[in-house]
Amino acid sequence: MTTLVFVHGWSVTNTSTYGLLPQRLQAQAAAAGIALAVADIWLSEYVSFDDVVTMPDVVRAFDHALRDLHLQDASFACITHSTGGPVVREWLRAQRERPRAFSTIRLTHLMMLAPANFGSALAQLGKSVLGRLKAWAGGVEPGQRILDWLELGSSESLSLNLDHIHGSDPAGQGQFLFVLTGDRPDRSLYDHINSYTGEDGSDGVVRIAAANLNARHAVLAGESGSAGDTLSLNVVTAPRTAFKLIPGASHSGDEQGVMASAPPATVDALLRCLHVRDVASYHQLCDAFDAENAQRDADRVEMETVGPFPDRVHIHDPRSMLVVRLTDEGGEPLLGARMLLKAGTPPNPDWMPQGFMLDRQANSHQGNVITFFLNHALLAGTPRVADPDNSRRTLRAAMDGHRPYSASIEPNDLVGLVHHAIATTAARDDLFLIVAPHQTTVLDVVLPRHVHEGVFRLTQKLTPEDFRHPVPGDVIP
């Protein structure tokens, strides 16, 4: 017997958000040999539309609600949508870190539909005047504190994701995580004021790369004994997570929504997830999902009908997200610093592939954290893309990659008692190796902090001496 809990996303005010998915899943589970009785499906109702409510508040209340289920074997499976994914992942972390404060109820399967694991580009706009007006029209608040978590590059989301990247493999502990996400926006829901709702490489709300938990943490920092301000690269990869693209599905909506419309591909994928019982079957499903994603990526052209005008062409190249944090070795944020990407040998910023940079967004609370949205296919080099209805017509010519890719970091304080210097990546490092299709990389750039002798001197002169304008002297080694 499987107890299944559904957890919705941000700013939901009605359980109609789950659409027909619970009923269709229940109906098809029996045919698949999975027992799901009516009493074994629970729909969550949590408040994210109150500006006072924080993510820890929701997590604490979620834990309390679970205790009331009186589970037979103290375990359950969970299907989440959007922000629901981070909510349950934060609960899992709270269980590990505060075992006395949180229940010992065991989550066996966490199936995340379109999870905003690394946030959403829309979150920053949801806090704007337009977002507040929309919330007011709906009779609720925007949910400021939850939106802070969801903003790209937030300290809260990065903390959770870095914990996952550097943590142990959940599958090895009998806890299986799955990410299922749509591969395109619902064009009928496009908001002409907000282009993110039609952004290719996303489902209209969450970018594919931001949903995927197959992520990396890269660090560019100086090495002891390295020459000058040369930064060397170190990379850690997250434990493998099952990841599935649902072709043609979008974030929400009754027509294409990955949950609300209950597409057969979503139901089928969820049942395959529920069949996993051990590490071996989990890795088999990971392999199967990867093969299906590769097949989807090969069929990348979408033709959008635009009334009486020629069809609009969308080429669904795999994208990557790069979250860059600029700090120095003392942990100080480098505000106003510039990171310049370069290609080829010798490195040249003008050689970066045309169109590789799709978007950049600085975090509103931490100006030293910037999220870049990159076209991975253009960085790698891509073959010619032909019109699927006329192979002789070229939609995009073949493009070569311009590797190796490097970077220089240009701080705005190049002089002073304490300052930073322009730094570059080591010649042996190719930054292309830290990004992957449909994935996010957190890149910490750590510059040396140059402290001069003039910050602290000793003198034997006993007569008063004014040192309001100290001579910097040499840099302390």
Side-chain angles (χ1 to χ4, degrees), residues 17 38 89 100 104 135 148 203 276 356-357 374 384 415 452:
T17 188
V38 173
R89 290 180 58 222
R100 295 183 180 180
T104 57
D148 287 343
D203 62 5
V276 169
F356 83 97
M357 179 70 72
L374 311 173
R384 167 183 174 268
V415 296
H452 287 257

Side-chain angles (χ1 to χ4, degrees), residues 369-402:
V369 181
I370 304 170
T371 299
F372 298 96
F373 196 38
L374 311 173
N375 188 317
H376 186 273
L378 297 185
L379 290 171
T382 181
R384 167 183 174 268
V385 178
D387 187 329
D389 297 323
N390 180 4
S391 60
R392 299 179 64 181
R393 179 188 173 211
T394 297
L395 297 179
R396 186 178 68 197
M399 298 182 66
D400 294 329
H402 299 170

Side-chain angles (χ1 to χ4, degrees), residues 206-272:
V206 175
R207 292 168 177 168
I208 295 172
N212 197 350
L213 282 178
N214 295 294
R216 291 170 170 80
H217 180 208
V219 178
L220 277 171
E223 289 183 343
S224 58
S226 64
D229 290 287
T230 300
L231 306 179
S232 297
L233 186 64
N234 290 284
V235 185
V236 175
T237 303
R240 190 181 189 189
T241 299
F243 174 70
K244 166 71 173 169
L245 292 171
I246 307 296
S250 62
H251 192 81
S252 55
D254 295 333
E255 297 296 324
Q256 291 180 225
V258 69
M259 180 174 69
S261 71
T266 296
V267 176
D268 174 71
L270 289 172
L271 292 175
R272 293 164 72 187

Side-chain angles (χ1 to χ4, degrees), residues 121-185:
L122 283 167
Q124 194 173 88
L125 302 179
K127 294 182 287 185
S128 68
V129 173
L130 185 64
R132 290 186 176 277
L133 286 174
K134 183 177 180 181
W136 175 81
V140 295
E141 295 175 342
Q144 177 77 40
R145 301 296 295 276
I146 302 298
L147 284 172
D148 287 343
W149 195 104
L150 290 171
E151 190 175 339
L152 294 178
S154 75
S155 58
E156 297 89 350
S157 69
L158 290 179
S159 173
L160 178 64
N161 289 311
L162 291 175
D163 182 69
H164 169 73
I165 292 170
H166 292 274
S168 58
D169 187 352
Q173 302 166 29
Q175 193 173 80
F176 305 109
L177 276 56
F178 311 85
V179 171
L180 316 174
T181 192
D183 70 341
R184 65 197 60 192

